[in-house]
């Protein structure tokens, strides 16, 4: 029996899990219904645009979480190290020490990228820009700050893949530690 969900946002965690586990193409309405507890009618009530609207809502929700928990601390921190520390803690928590896939990263690799390309690119651009800006405020040269931010974000994404593939959360945590040290070293060199 379908359960009642008061708001559309209540369905987003279940939708995100289905999209992470099965991809966009593999996320059938029956899997979505099972994960959210909503029947087809309720799903279309909350998401009249169907599966695409569901996916867009999930991506927007994830981006919003990162905006609040990762990107905003960079802008609010007087010391870039505080923003870096907040980012690493939030990233470790969000990705469950590398055991939860990054939906943006996974969808950026395949055919799903096409319909959601702007959202995927925007997420990664925002992350890189927020980190690079914090590094620049700490005195790191603009070009070097951007390159370093790109390396860190790609390192986190790679660590998610490796950690999940080997079922070893310690790999993710160790990578976060090395990336943090690399950022600190860049800040100390100015």
């Amino acid at each position: 029996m379908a359960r009642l969900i008061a708001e559309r946002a209540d369905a987003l965690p279940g939708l995100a899990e289905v999209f992470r586990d099965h991809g966009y193409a593999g996320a059938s309405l029956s899997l979505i219904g099972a994960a959210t507890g909503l029947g087809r009618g309720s799903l279309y009530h909350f998401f009249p645009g169907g599966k695409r609207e569901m996916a867009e809502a999930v991506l927007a929700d994830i981006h919003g979480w990162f905006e609040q928990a990762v990107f905003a601390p960079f802008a609010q921190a007087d010391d870039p190290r505080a923003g870096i520390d907040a980012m690493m803690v939030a990233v470790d928590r969000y990705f469950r020490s590398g055991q939860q896939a990054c939906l943006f990263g996974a969808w950026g690799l395949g055919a799903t990228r096409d319909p959601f390309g702007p959202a995927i690119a925007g997420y990664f651009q925002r992350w890189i820009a927020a980190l690079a800006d914090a590094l620049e405020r700490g005195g790191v040269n603009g070009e070097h700050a951007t390159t370093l931010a790109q390396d860190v974000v790609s390192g986190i994404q790679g660590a998610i893949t490796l950690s999940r593939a080997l079922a070893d959360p310690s790999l993710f945590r160790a990578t976060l530690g090395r990336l943090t040290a690399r950022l600190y070293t860049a800040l100390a060199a100015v």
Side-chain angles (χ1 to χ4, degrees):
M1 178 175 196
R3 64 185 169 107
L4 294 176
I5 289 185
E7 296 180 11
R8 166 183 157 124
D10 296 337
L12 296 179
L15 288 170
E17 289 307 311
V18 172
F19 287 133
R20 275 190 192 95
D21 292 345
H22 301 281
Y24 181 73
S28 67
L29 285 180
S30 62
L31 287 170
I32 290 169
T36 61
L38 295 173
R40 286 179 190 252
S42 295
L43 285 169
Y44 281 104
H45 168 74
F46 287 117
F47 304 95
K51 188 164 74 167
R52 182 174 178 134
E53 185 177 344
M54 293 175 206
E56 290 168 346
V58 166
L59 291 175
D61 185 61
I62 294 168
H63 188 97
W65 186 90
F66 269 80
E67 190 66 47
Q68 183 178 43
V70 177
F71 311 148
F74 283 130
Q76 296 165 354
D78 292 330
D79 179 359
R81 288 167 191 82
I84 291 165
D85 290 343
M87 176 188 76
M88 293 303 185
V89 168
V91 163
D92 185 52
R93 186 178 71 232
Y94 183 81
F95 293 117
R96 298 182 194 143
S97 297
Q99 299 308 292
Q100 174 170 278
C102 175
L103 195 55
F104 282 96
W107 284 12
L109 298 175
T112 304
R113 188 196 187 302
D114 293 339
F116 304 106
I120 293 167
Y123 166 82
F124 285 114
Q125 289 166 344
R126 178 69 177 109
W127 194 350
I128 291 164
L131 179 52
D133 183 59
L135 292 169
E136 286 184 50
R137 284 194 328 270
V140 177
N141 169 282
E143 187 176 318
H144 181 59
T146 298
T147 300
L148 187 54
Q150 291 168 341
D151 288 352
V152 167
V153 172
S154 63
I156 290 168
Q157 291 296 308
I160 293 166
T161 301
L162 186 60
S163 181
R164 283 180 52 86
L166 299 176
D168 186 352
S170 69
L171 293 171
F172 186 75
R173 289 188 204 107
T175 299
L176 292 184
R178 288 190 300 273
L179 293 171
T180 300
R182 187 170 172 203
L183 292 169
Y184 277 19
T185 298
L187 288 167
V190 293

